[in-house]
Amino acid sequence: MAEVVVVGSGPNGLAAAVIAARAGLSVRVLEAQEQAGGGSRTAELTLPGFHHDVCAGAHPMALASPFFRAFDLAAHGVELLAPTVSYAHPLDGGIAGLAWRNLESTVADLGRDGPAWRALFAPLVERWPDVVELAMSDLRHPPTRIPTAVRFGLRLLEQGSPLWNKRFHDEVAPALLTGVATHAITVPRALPAVGAALLLGTLAHAGGWVIPRGGSQAIPNALIAELERLGGEVVTGHRVDDFAELATARAVLFDTSPAEFLRITGDRVPERYRHRLSRFRYGGAACKVDFALSGPVPWAAPGADLAGTLHLVGTRAEAMRAEQQVAAGRFADRPYVLAIQPGVVDATRAPAGQHTFYTYAHVPNGSDRDISETVIAQVERFAPGFRDLILATHVRPAAFMPAHNANYVGGDISAGAMTLRQTAFRPLARWNPYSTPIPGTYLCSSSTPPGPGVHGMSGLHAAGHVLRTRFGIVTDPLDLLRGATPSYHRAR
């Protein structure tokens, strides 16, 4: 058995595995699915030659995450393509808010709300690495960049309170911001949702929401190639059902949901911890609908055709209403639909002249309903004629999400409800959120800080703790990624 075993091959698990291997440890990754990558897989879901991202499709953190900046995806063969417009938010009447990579272009488009957008984002864009450091921390240590933390906090409180409409005059700018907040699958004025909006909105103007050439699978493939170069291995098609098979490893990291961790560890976990962890809440879910299209989406709004990502829900008030319905366990008549059109930058995703189109809609947790017709209607609302382009459709209702990724309990792609408590204390209110009562056993999934997203930071934080406490390695994990030699505070 390897010194370090990682259960699950999502970006966090692979990040932890690469760091451990860079420290000179033997590493094995066990993946239940036949294809590694967790939420960053790519597959031909509709027709031959149409390559669809199974979950994550656009990657704001791929250029910004401290883990990926140190790992250097480009140096490992991943080509990250940045659309001219990071994201768009169409409204009725053939208009759309456009978040250009260039902040000033966005300001110019927003008319009289442009200066308010600049005032909101310019101080954050100017210090974007500090914003990322704040948001991607383990949430257990005070921020090191106090001015940025204050700026971020003030904007968080404004947009997370009844003041959220005060700075804007028209419909477009607040809708543009709310569309990003709604990524969190919770009411968009909740503080965790606003935090996501400020982080992702900042990154939209600080490098963009990039799309990997060929598909999101390129990211885990690069991590796996590096792990194998260092002597580690990834075993696919290997479902772990009993912790006994892992017990000889010096450290085991679970890139899994708390529910999956409890299933595997069984009665080895003390009853009190099991009871607390079993109360971890899973939130609103997604019904994923992928399309093979005969041509590009015919957006009514100029500029929407340049966007990699689009938020289809309408006004800020409509987004709030739709998310409130989902939070109450109901289906929205006009749900929030997140759409990605990789063909705006990547012609390799489909045969010449044709396109893949990625969507998911927010639905109640555990829903087995196929809502593809509702999704098509919401796209048609902003792109009349869309239906005529559809060659094939692939639908995965929320209830079937766990079959391809056990971390998505009930279809919750955030791996845990994004409540204020479960953002600050994820998965439990304890000083070290990665450790468990089983010696040498840790959690490192998106159910731990800093939460969901393809950033590798949960794996990095957990791996740093493992190296220090189990192996006596005190070198910063980011320095290991940059080629530093591990140093020890005691003999191995």
Side-chain angles (χ1 to χ4, degrees):
M1 178 62 71
E3 293 172 283
V4 176
V5 173
V6 179
V7 180
S9 67
N12 284 311
L14 292 173
V18 168
I19 289 167
R22 285 283 184 98
L25 305 174
S26 59
V27 182
R28 175 178 291 174
V29 178
L30 304 177
E31 170 56 52
Q33 300 296 317
E34 296 297 332
Q35 182 181 8
S40 296
R41 285 175 284 169
T42 303
E44 292 183 332
L45 298 177
T46 55
L47 298 172
F50 288 81
H51 302 279
H52 303 271
D53 289 325
V54 175
C55 186
H59 298 275
M61 294 303 302
L63 292 175
S65 158
F67 171 79
F68 283 129
R69 296 210 311 268
F71 179 75
D72 193 350
L73 284 167
H76 288 83
V78 180
E79 189 175 357
L80 298 173
L81 308 171
T84 305
V85 176
S86 295
Y87 63 93
H89 193 112
L91 294 171
D92 295 321
I95 60 173
L98 305 175
W100 299 82
R101 287 206 320 271
N102 181 280
L103 175 60
E104 289 305 314
S105 296
T106 307
V107 169
D109 263 5
L110 291 175
R112 63 173 178 165
D113 277 338
W117 191 269
R118 181 193 293 116
L120 183 67
F121 279 110
L124 302 181
V125 173
E126 291 168 3
R127 297 286 184 270
W128 71 263
D130 297 346
V131 173
V132 171
E133 180 184 302
L134 175 69
M136 292 289 104
S137 74
D138 63 5
L139 307 182
R140 296 302 189 273
H141 295 85
T144 58
R145 311 295 186 188
I146 300 300
T148 297
V150 170
R151 293 186 187 101
F152 192 91
L154 291 174
R155 287 159 174 77
L156 183 72
L157 293 175
E158 175 204 303
Q159 289 299 309
S161 76
L163 298 175
W164 76 331
N165 278 320
K166 292 298 183 182
R167 74 166 59 227
F168 300 119
H169 302 283
D170 299 323
E171 291 279 11
V172 176
L176 188 63
L177 182 59
T178 304
V180 192
T182 312
H183 279 230
I185 319 186
T186 187
V187 291
R189 209 176 75 186
L191 290 177
V194 175
L198 293 175
L199 171 64
L200 299 179
T202 297
L203 297 179
H205 304 304
W209 293 9
V210 295
I211 293 173
R213 184 180 296 279
S216 294
Q217 187 73 49
I219 293 175
N221 284 355
L223 294 169
I224 291 167
E226 176 64 6
L227 177 62
E228 292 176 341
R229 185 188 73 81
L230 295 166
E233 63 174 332
V234 177
V235 182
T236 57
H238 186 119
R239 176 184 161 97
V240 178
D241 290 313
D242 191 336
F243 186 77
E245 72 169 283
L246 313 173
T248 58
R250 291 183 64 186
V252 181
L253 294 98
F254 282 83
D255 183 13
T256 70
S257 68
E260 187 72 356
F261 170 79
L262 291 176
R263 181 191 69 81
I264 293 170
T265 54
D267 59 9
R268 290 174 176 82
V269 178
E271 183 58 34
R272 183 170 181 271
Y273 181 85
R274 167 177 287 279
H275 176 70
R276 293 176 62 207
L277 197 59
S278 67
R279 295 173 65 187
F280 183 77
R281 289 177 51 203
Y282 298 93
C287 176
K288 180 78 158 37
V289 187
D290 288 286
F291 299 93
L293 302 180
S294 61
V297 179
W299 300 108
D305 58 320
L306 303 175
T309 302
L310 301 101
H311 306 132
L312 311 179
V313 69
T315 64
R316 168 171 272 188
E318 288 180 284
M320 176 66 85
R321 184 164 55 253
E323 292 305 294
Q324 286 173 332
Q325 290 175 310
V326 170
R330 301 193 301 271
F331 290 88
D333 293 333
R334 285 181 159 183
Y336 174 90
V337 174
L338 186 146
I340 299 174
Q341 42 188 17
V344 299
V345 287
D346 183 6
T348 70
R349 301 294 187 95
Q354 299 176 318
H355 288 261
T356 61
F357 189 60
Y358 162 125
T359 71
Y360 67 70
H362 292 174
V363 297
N365 191 283
S367 163
D368 62 359
R369 185 182 297 184
D370 173 352
I371 66 163
S372 56
E373 280 300 317
T374 303
V375 170
I376 291 170
Q378 191 73 314
V379 179
E380 278 268 344
R381 174 183 172 187
F382 304 109
F386 168 75
R387 186 186 295 272
D388 298 335
L389 301 174
I390 299 173
L391 301 173
T393 303
H394 178 273
V395 184
R396 183 172 280 122
F400 300 99
M401 286 277 189
H404 79 91
N405 192 329
N407 288 6
Y408 299 156
V409 178
D412 176 4
I413 59 176
S414 296
M418 295 300 291
T419 64
L420 182 58
R421 177 180 175 81
Q422 285 197 176
T423 300
F425 303 110
R426 191 174 181 91
L428 295 175
R430 58 197 319 238
W431 177 250
N432 187 336
Y434 311 102
S435 67
T436 78
I438 303 175
T441 302
Y442 307 83
L443 292 166
C444 69
S445 71
S446 293
S447 300
T448 65
V454 180
H455 45 62
M457 292 301 294
S458 300
L460 181 140
H461 292 313
H465 183 74
V466 169
L467 295 183
R468 289 190 302 273
T469 60
R470 298 297 291 179
F471 298 96
I473 298 172
V474 295
T475 309
D476 187 319
L478 291 175
D479 289 337
L480 291 173
L481 290 171
R482 299 182 186 107
T485 300
S487 58
Y488 302 83
H489 66 71
R490 63 174 183 268
R492 294 185 64 182

